[in-house]
Amino acid sequence: MRGLACASRACVAKLDNRQSFKMPSLKFIAAVLALVAPGLAWAQGAPNGDTEAGARKTPMCAGCHGIPGWRTAYPEVYGVPKIGGQHSAYIVKALQAYKSGERNHPSMKAIAANLSDQDMADLAAYYGAAPARTASNK
């Protein structure tokens, strides 16, 4: 039998290099870490959001994000995104990006500039728990 060596009446399977365990590539490991690490960091360092507190903080958002089909004219004409049902972590990251200047929309920068980390977490919890709104279920 190929791949077997018999010694003292017991056959011991030889490991064939072609059938041995193949280590994952460094690119694969890096990709997995890149996907998992931000979620772990956010979960450990971010405050927990409170949906009730978030509901009390929505008037500043509802003027644009609460109107189905709303289009703004400043700084350019575009449809305002629906944020109900969006992932909480995405909302927090977007608000942080507006606050830091990484995202550049004048109205959102002005609103985010005054939000604490807790405010962002509360708003994200509120909008993340809301049912998703799409063009078909406006």
Side-chain angles (χ1 to χ4, degrees), residues 81-103:
K82 297 173 178 81
I83 56 176
Q86 183 59 269
H87 293 279
S88 298
Y90 174 81
I91 294 172
V92 169
K93 293 301 273 180
L95 290 170
Q96 290 170 340
Y98 284 118
K99 187 172 186 170
S100 72
E102 186 180 333
R103 286 189 177 194

Side-chain angles (χ1 to χ4, degrees), residues 23-73:
M23 294 293 293
S25 71
L26 281 175
K27 287 181 183 179
F28 175 77
I29 293 170
V32 169
L33 288 175
L35 292 172
V36 173
L40 292 175
W42 182 82
Q44 292 175 359
N48 290 328
D50 179 350
T51 55
E52 290 179 20
R56 292 189 298 272
K57 298 173 184 178
T58 60
M60 64 187 137
C61 310
C64 296
H65 295 285
I67 304 169
W70 179 252
R71 296 173 59 83
T72 107

